[in-house]
């Protein structure tokens, strides 16, 4: 039987933890299921610190952002370990932590298409006023992805 590839976009919130629990309850006993946790982070600015004394003041904040990215990747590894601790074998769980070049929805759609994923597990997003005026990630993925199962864990 072919592997069922499951993509779980993960953004380090309580809602995503519920999505992990859904994945454990639904796929941990399905030996053909392969899970990928995904996070796309915004690019760090590249600044030539030697170009100006004023720019050297940005060294601290950029180093802080770099440290935060390292912490986020460690948190993603911890989420992976949570899946391993709850019934998944080592070779069934992976993660992708990459710099975002497009919108989050486009990054997810590209990964689903290029990686041949069959299932995407999203978490419920809290309603924000800004989402009333634009399409959220869920809506963009639902309209973009075809022949893909999209689960929204609440």
């Amino acid at each position: 039987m072919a592997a069922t590839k499951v993509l779980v976009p993960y953004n380090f919130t309580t809602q995503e933890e519920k999505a992990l629990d859904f994945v454990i309850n639904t796929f941990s006993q399905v030996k053909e299921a392969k899970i990928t946790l995904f996070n796309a982070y915004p690019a760090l600015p590249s600044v030539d610190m030697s170009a100006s004394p004023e720019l050297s003041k940005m060294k601290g904040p950029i180093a802080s952002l770099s440290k935060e990215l390292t912490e986020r990747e460690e948190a993603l590894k911890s989420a992976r370990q949570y899946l391993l601790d709850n019934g998944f074998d080592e070779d069934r769980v992976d993660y992708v932590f990459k710099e975002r070049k497009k919108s989050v929805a486009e990054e997810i759609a590209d990964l689903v298409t290029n990686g041949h994923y069959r299932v995407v597990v999203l978490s419920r997003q809290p309603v924000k006023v800004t989402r009333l005026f634009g399409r959220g990630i869920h809506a963009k993925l639902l309209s973009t992805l075809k022949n893909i199962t999209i689960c929204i864990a609440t």
Side-chain angles (χ1 to χ4, degrees):
M1 179 179 236
T4 300
K5 293 181 73 176
V6 180
L7 181 66
V8 183
Y10 194 77
N11 203 29
F12 317 104
T13 68
T14 305
Q15 295 303 323
E16 271 89 12
E17 291 173 11
K18 291 179 182 179
L20 290 183
D21 290 335
F22 171 80
V23 168
I24 291 166
N25 292 330
T26 307
F27 296 106
S28 65
Q29 300 304 314
V30 180
K31 296 302 177 191
E32 301 83 29
K34 295 189 181 278
I35 312 301
T36 301
L37 300 172
F38 174 70
N39 182 270
Y41 58 87
L44 288 178
S46 61
V47 178
D48 180 11
M49 302 294 176
S50 63
S52 161
E54 291 299 315
L55 292 177
S56 66
K57 294 177 185 176
M58 295 186 63
K59 190 176 190 176
I62 289 177
S64 176
L65 288 173
S66 180
K67 181 181 178 212
E68 183 179 327
L69 282 180
T70 302
E71 291 170 355
R72 284 182 157 246
E73 185 170 15
E74 288 303 315
L76 196 59
K77 288 178 183 177
S78 293
R80 179 183 182 271
Q81 187 61 49
Y82 180 70
L83 292 175
L84 296 176
D85 292 344
N86 286 281
F88 286 94
D89 296 330
E90 185 87 21
D91 62 336
R92 292 178 52 211
V93 183
D94 197 8
Y95 75 92
V96 174
F97 185 70
K98 67 174 274 203
E99 182 178 298
R100 189 174 76 213
K101 307 266 190 243
K102 305 173 185 176
S103 74
V104 173
E106 289 171 318
E107 291 284 358
I108 293 169
D110 286 351
L111 186 57
V112 167
T113 302
N114 297 331
H116 306 289
Y117 288 89
R118 302 299 308 141
V119 178
V120 178
V121 178
L122 301 172
S123 62
R124 183 183 63 80
Q125 297 175 329
V127 177
K128 294 182 181 178
V129 173
T130 55
R131 288 207 189 102
L132 296 175
F133 301 106
R135 289 178 51 195
I137 293 171
H138 294 77
K140 289 177 185 175
L141 291 175
L142 288 168
S143 67
T144 303
L145 298 175
K146 303 297 179 209
N147 300 317
I148 302 295
T149 301
I150 299 177
C151 302
I152 301 175
T154 61

